[in-house]
Amino acid sequence: MARPPVSVSPRTPLVEVAQKMLEHRIGSVLVVDREDRLVGIITQGDFCRHPGRMVPFSLFESANVLSNWLYPDQVERVYQAARNLRAQDIMQAPVVTVSPEASLGRVLALILKHDINRIPVVRRGKVVGIISRYDLLRVMQQEHAS
Amino acid sequence: MARPPVSVSPRTPLVEVAQKMLEHRIGSVLVVDREDRLVGIITQGDFCRHPGRMVPFSLFESANVLSNWLYPDQVERVYQAARNLRAQDIMQAPVVTVSPEASLGRVLALILKHDINRIPVVRRGKVVGIISRYDLLRVMQQEHAS
């Protein structure tokens, strides 16, 4: 379980969400309210999953690559759209979570059933950690090394 | 271990590689020579990792999304570039592989060390299967269910 997970507020503009994900090199961010309660999660795929609210994450990720293909006015249009849209417009909610007391079997079942890469660990609505597939494979490695 | 993994030849144009990945909904394809020996692997990230050979995978994945941002002549330029480039121009080689006799601990160690999602299982140069992180978590789930 890694902590603290990176989070944004529901009102954070998409362009800042994307910058945060790139800065921390992460595939998802948590969305928390003012009382620090988990209200949503955003993955890279969510950036282009919503009709009418589509700002492909790759346009931020590969800005230097895409400059081969995009004209400058288009890049500016993308950033403008991403300043107008906010985390709450594209986040997934409710979020699949586990309690700190959950068994490893329960964590695995949820990750496989929902085909997700990470699952937040929540106590009384607040995030206390996050478990990734990588973390689980590390545990498995320890089990198989001993 | 899943089989048969999807493969292309070193001379397959990038546009066909992308279409194959989208059609099978997979994050990587194997590159095999005429004798069916493994010579490389291509993941979505490899599409834009090479200076001067950059055709972001998302331009194929989100063609309908990107049509909001790209002019038709740009879309055509991207496809033209992807017809001129071939699998061998962007593939990763050599490939991290395991033998069919490898222990689970060995498989885990390689996947974690190289931070890869899948590892081909190779016997005498030929691919006989592929193991993903998902497959490993399924095994772990079985171990923790019993």
Side-chain angles (χ1 to χ4, degrees), chain A residues 47-48 52 54-56 58-59 62 64-66 68-71 73-74 77-79 81 104-105 108-113 115 133-134 136-141 143-145, chain B residues 47-48 52 54-56 58-59 62 64-66 68-71 73-74 77-79 81 104-105 108-113 115 133-134 136-141 143-145:
Chain A
F47 278 74
C48 58
M54 302 177 295
V55 184
S58 56
L59 294 193
S62 324
N64 59 330
V65 172
L66 284 157
N68 283 358
W69 307 108
L70 293 179
Y71 300 120
D73 66 308
Q74 291 177 300
R77 275 168 58 213
V78 170
Y79 276 82
L104 199 50
L108 283 161
L110 286 171
I111 280 187
L112 292 169
K113 177 181 171 194
D115 198 18
R133 289 189 176 194
Y134 186 90
L136 292 168
L137 292 176
R138 285 290 298 273
V139 171
M140 191 179 189
Q141 188 184 26
E143 289 174 348
H144 283 267
Chain B
F47 278 74
C48 58
M54 303 177 294
V55 184
S58 57
L59 294 192
S62 326
N64 58 330
V65 172
L66 285 156
N68 283 358
W69 307 107
L70 294 179
Y71 301 120
D73 67 307
Q74 291 176 300
R77 275 169 57 214
V78 171
Y79 276 82
L104 199 50
L108 282 161
L110 287 170
I111 280 188
L112 291 169
K113 178 182 171 195
D115 197 19
R133 290 189 175 195
Y134 187 90
L136 292 168
L137 292 177
R138 284 290 298 275
V139 170
M140 191 180 189
Q141 188 184 26
E143 289 174 348
H144 283 267

Side-chain angles (χ1 to χ4, degrees), chain B residues 61-105:
Chain B
E61 190 177 24
S62 326
N64 58 330
V65 172
L66 285 156
S67 63
N68 283 358
W69 307 107
L70 294 179
Y71 301 120
D73 67 307
Q74 291 176 300
V75 177
E76 183 44 41
R77 275 169 57 214
V78 171
Y79 276 82
Q80 190 53 50
R83 278 190 286 269
N84 293 337
L85 288 169
R86 295 175 189 278
Q88 65 197 7
D89 296 323
I90 67 159
M91 71 186 188
Q92 300 168 42
V95 187
V96 179
T97 63
V98 287
S99 76
E101 292 75 30
S103 68
L104 199 50

Side-chain angles (χ1 to χ4, degrees), chain A residues 1 97-103 107 120-124 126-129 131:
Chain A
M1 189 163 91
T97 63
V98 286
S99 77
E101 293 75 31
S103 68
V107 173
V121 183
V122 170
R123 178 188 286 132
R124 291 187 212 99
K126 296 186 183 178
V127 179
V128 294
I131 300 172

